[in-house]
């Protein structure tokens, strides 16, 4: 791929990050629904790291805090 390549009218790298963010959030939600809090936390943390928009980063960090609290890691939930 070339730097000028686009997907959905956006640069390819930005589109790939956005798709990855969405996938990580979806997998985190699925893990949380199954009670797999450690897996959910890992996915939400990864999503927060790659989020481009502040709103997306905040959403991922809030879900990360919720999953850490559900794991019983209250101190880590506050740090999230």
């Amino acid at each position: 791929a070339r730097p000028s390549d686009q997907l959905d009218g956006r640069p390819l790298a930005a589109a790939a990050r956005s798709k990855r963010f969405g996938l990580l959030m979806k997998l985190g939600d699925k893990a949380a629904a199954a009670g797999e809090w450690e897996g959910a936390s890992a996915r939400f943390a990864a999503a927060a790291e790659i989020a481009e928009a502040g709103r997306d980063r905040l959403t991922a960090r809030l879900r990360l805090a919720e999953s850490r609290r559900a794991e019983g890691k209250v101190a880590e939930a506050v740090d999230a």
Side-chain angles (χ1 to χ4, degrees), residues 8-72:
D8 297 332
R10 298 178 59 202
L12 191 56
R17 269 192 308 277
S18 177
K19 297 283 185 185
R20 184 173 180 214
F21 172 82
L23 179 61
L24 286 166
M25 292 298 290
K26 185 176 180 178
L27 291 172
D29 286 339
K30 188 174 181 178
E36 298 170 2
W37 301 113
E38 191 172 326
S41 291
R43 283 164 180 85
F44 292 139
E49 288 290 320
I50 65 164
E52 292 183 302
R55 178 185 68 236
D56 291 341
R57 190 173 305 107
L58 177 61
T59 299
R61 290 180 64 91
L62 286 172
R63 297 250 182 88
L64 172 59
E66 291 168 0
S67 64
R68 285 184 175 164
R69 182 194 50 80
E71 273 184 273

